[in-house]
Amino acid sequence: MSDDEREEKELDLSSHEVVTKYKTAAEIANNALKLVISECKPKAKAVDICEKGDSYIREQTGNVYKNVKRKIERGVAFPTCLSVNNVLRISELICFRLCEE
């Protein structure tokens, strides 16, 4: 079996391993969402909440699939974003981060 065939097989959702990876990613995302929601309190900075969400995802994804023979990319696919009454946008978060540095 060639490398291309193996890679193609891995991307097939009929594979138990692929489904397990998606379930693991979903658990991490759901737990990150719970964490972010719990941090939403009066006077909390949006940038701090987003950073906690991202660091939680990085930490949790770093703990899975360590013993695999080939390297699996893992980490934050989409940074944590908050919307306060549909007003706060990613561009504003970037501005907040730059202003705080």
Side-chain angles (χ1 to χ4, degrees), residues 1-73:
M1 186 181 287
S2 71
D3 288 338
D4 291 336
E5 290 173 1
R6 281 190 210 120
E7 187 173 319
E8 198 172 302
K9 181 181 177 187
E10 285 183 27
L11 298 176
D12 185 9
L13 289 176
S14 64
S15 169
H16 176 67
E17 292 176 7
V18 173
V19 173
T20 301
K21 289 176 187 175
Y22 276 109
K23 285 182 178 181
T24 303
E27 285 179 31
I28 292 170
N30 287 333
N31 290 335
L33 182 59
K34 288 176 188 175
L35 172 70
V36 168
I37 290 171
S38 73
E39 293 294 321
C40 291
K41 299 174 182 150
K43 305 217 183 206
K45 289 185 178 181
V47 69
D48 294 338
I49 296 169
C50 291
E51 286 174 355
K52 282 185 182 183
D54 287 349
S55 64
Y56 177 82
I57 293 170
R58 272 189 235 98
E59 176 188 316
Q60 294 301 309
T61 56
N63 292 333
V64 294
Y65 304 114
K66 288 184 174 182
N67 297 327
V68 179
K69 290 181 183 175
R70 69 181 182 94
K71 185 177 179 189
I72 295 176
E73 288 187 46

